[in-house]
Amino acid sequence: MLKQKGRCLVTAFFASLLFGMAGWALESELPQNLDFSSLVDQFGQPFRGQGSMALVMVVNGMKAKNMVRDTLAELDVSCLQQGRVIYLANISGMPKMISKLVAVPRLRKLGYPVWLDYSGHVTKTLPTRKDEVTLLSIDSEQAISLASHLKSGEELRAKLMAECGSLDSEPGG
């Protein structure tokens, strides 16, 4: 029995290592239904963009937040304003006073919506990794078709360029 448990642990370790390096999640591991109805933006407005989503960026940690902020400074953010790209931040672990007095007021200075998960219920179902930006591709039925875990701003910029465009070009290319 101990030998069998050991094999399972070794198999699980190598499987997580393999899929971790590939940067994607198995289709069966992805949530089937996205329900963003509990999300609000930094101004307290409820989420209404479920039908137009193409990409969802999920931020987990300060390093990932800074990567998104720096990358979006180079891109045409109309893709976020129009709801094709959704920027989702889990702030459930943040002390309420800090989020209310510091974090959310800072987010209000941005020129694009940041959708906030105050409870953590939405983001807990998504395949995120600490200090990485998780980029979820959304298919025509509004289901997640692919999850990528990005560690650098260059990777994120390359992925977002097709949907957003740079400040020097037209959106979408």
Side-chain angles (χ1 to χ4, degrees), residues 37-48:
S37 62
S38 65
L39 301 178
V40 295
D41 69 9
Q42 66 266 44
F43 298 101
Q45 298 301 308
F47 186 78
R48 292 192 179 103

Side-chain angles (χ1 to χ4, degrees), residues 7-156:
R7 285 186 198 147
C8 288
L9 286 173
V10 170
T11 303
F13 170 75
F14 284 115
S16 67
L17 186 62
L18 173 67
F19 293 123
M21 289 188 298
W24 55 278
L26 288 174
E27 190 173 311
S28 62
E29 294 174 353
L30 298 174
Q32 296 301 307
N33 298 317
L34 293 175
D35 181 9
F36 289 176
S37 62
S38 65
L39 301 178
V40 295
D41 69 9
Q42 66 266 44
F43 298 101
Q45 298 301 308
F47 186 78
R48 292 192 179 103
Q50 196 91 18
S52 59
M53 297 185 301
L55 294 172
V56 176
M57 288 185 299
V58 186
V59 173
N60 187 353
M62 292 299 286
K63 182 178 176 185
K65 177 202 67 90
N66 292 338
M67 182 191 334
V68 169
R69 181 198 61 216
D70 295 346
T71 302
L72 290 178
E74 304 171 15
L75 299 176
D76 178 356
V77 294
S78 65
C79 59
L80 282 97
Q81 295 160 339
Q82 296 164 357
R84 292 189 323 268
V85 175
I86 304 299
Y87 179 179
L88 175 57
N90 178 2
I91 63 169
S92 64
M94 188 179 293
K96 290 192 188 309
M97 284 296 254
I98 298 296
S99 66
K100 183 177 181 177
L101 298 175
V102 179
V104 174
R106 283 186 184 166
L107 292 173
R108 290 183 183 134
K109 295 177 184 176
L110 300 175
Y112 48 84
V114 178
W115 298 99
L116 304 173
D117 186 3
Y118 281 96
S119 68
H121 294 316
V122 173
T123 51
K124 76 176 178 184
T125 64
L126 302 175
T128 63
R129 294 183 185 163
K130 183 76 172 157
D131 290 328
E132 294 182 11
V133 176
T134 301
L135 193 63
L136 306 171
S137 298
I138 308 300
D139 65 21
S140 60
E141 282 100 39
Q142 296 299 291
I144 300 171
S145 60
L146 181 68
S148 303
H149 302 284
L150 311 176
K151 295 180 182 183
S152 74
E154 294 80 24
E155 289 177 296
L156 180 60

